[in-house]
Amino acid sequence: MQSSIIIADDHPLMLRGLHDFLKSKGYNILGSGKDGKEAYNLIVKHKPNIAILDIRMPFLTGLEVAEECLKNGIKTKIILITFDKGEELYDKAQELKIFGYILKEFAIEEIELCIESVTNNKPYFSAEIAQYLNSQTNTQRPHSLSELTKSEIKVLSLIAQNKTANEIGNALSVSGRTIEKHKSNIIKKLNLESKHNSLSLFAKENEQFLES
């Protein structure tokens, strides 16, 4: 059985093109919207398996729709389509547990692969985005750092400066408890030993690759 899908994009030609293409391939399209508010209302109403959203829309962006879904426990898997290759948006998408992130210029070519991957609970991020991000980073940068979000990199850079969890929290305007959660996530992603100073040692050894 095909996954149920809703689509939202504020560009009528893109919306119609994607809708017609997926319909022609036999996908179960439950509805389509022209802005973020319509997208979110469609998700709440239909509870689709997948929502394919433009990242920049009036009222609510694709990221803001994803944030609302995460906050309200809605299980719909989000796929974002965008012209943006920026690292900050990519990191935000990962933080919000976005399942797919593909570039608009390759949307028709990649959307079926993306839907298939997402249906099997495997995130799909366009190879073009990964190549672009890799080209923006120092080639000597440890590969493991690519697993971290921008927020986690900031936390790690402050750990390298011997800041406490509360001091880091104050610097980033979040609670010390949130920083401890970040630290736990970083340790897991980097596959570090759960020793008291393992994170601090890693941060100091790689400080030159961390953002301040």
Side-chain angles (χ1 to χ4, degrees):
M1 187 173 124
Q2 292 280 26
S3 294
S4 58
I5 297 171
I6 70 103
I7 307 168
D9 196 306
D10 64 330
H11 296 87
L13 290 177
M14 185 68 190
L15 183 63
R16 172 56 60 186
L18 200 53
H19 178 277
D20 290 350
F21 176 77
L22 292 176
K23 270 285 191 184
S24 73
K25 296 293 183 178
Y27 288 98
N28 180 22
I29 310 300
L30 300 179
S32 58
K34 61 183 182 296
D35 59 56
K37 188 183 292 184
E38 286 188 5
Y40 184 68
N41 288 338
L42 284 167
I43 291 170
V44 171
K45 180 180 178 180
H46 295 293
K47 301 291 192 300
N49 302 123
I50 293 170
I52 303 171
L53 310 176
D54 184 11
I55 203 167
R56 297 190 186 280
M57 295 184 289
F59 302 115
L60 292 171
T61 68
L63 286 169
E64 288 169 338
V65 173
E67 191 168 12
E68 286 299 310
C69 289
L70 187 63
K71 187 166 64 178
N72 293 300
I74 297 172
K75 303 299 184 184
T76 297
K77 296 182 177 74
I78 305 295
I79 295 172
L80 295 177
I81 51 175
T82 178
F83 286 118
D84 295 302
K85 297 179 182 177
E87 184 178 359
E88 187 174 346
L89 287 174
Y90 179 81
D91 286 342
K92 186 67 175 175
Q94 289 186 305
E95 286 180 11
L96 293 174
K97 305 186 188 305
I98 300 296
F99 262 81
Y101 192 109
I102 59 179
L103 295 175
K104 279 196 173 182
E105 55 262 49
F106 303 109
I108 297 298
E109 297 169 33
E110 291 191 293
I111 193 63
E112 286 188 277
L113 284 174
C114 184
I115 291 171
E116 182 181 355
S117 180
V118 169
T119 299
N120 291 315
N121 290 316
K122 295 177 183 176
Y124 183 99
F125 288 83
S126 182
E128 289 287 329
I129 295 172
Q131 288 170 13
Y132 173 81
L133 292 176
N134 287 339
S135 73
Q136 303 302 303
T137 56
N138 189 315
T139 55
Q140 300 301 311
R141 193 180 193 220
H143 176 70
S144 54
L145 289 177
S146 66
E147 299 294 318
L148 305 183
T149 67
K150 199 163 189 175
S151 296
E152 289 166 346
I153 291 288
K154 286 179 181 176
V155 169
L156 202 55
S157 71
L158 291 168
I159 290 172
Q161 298 170 34
N162 297 316
K163 302 288 187 183
T164 66
N166 284 335
E167 287 172 336
I168 296 171
N170 289 336
L172 301 181
S173 301
V174 297
S175 69
R177 183 179 297 178
T178 297
I179 298 304
E180 291 296 346
K181 185 75 188 299
H182 275 310
K183 288 166 71 174
S184 176
N185 288 338
I186 294 168
I187 288 170
K188 287 177 184 175
K189 288 183 178 181
L190 298 179
N191 199 26
L192 299 177
E193 295 181 29
S194 297
K195 292 182 179 178
H196 175 67
N197 63 344
S198 61
L199 194 55
S200 177
L201 288 173
F202 180 91
K204 290 180 183 300
E205 287 171 3
N206 296 282
E207 187 171 7
Q208 61 181 310
F209 304 113
L210 303 173
E211 297 176 7
S212 61

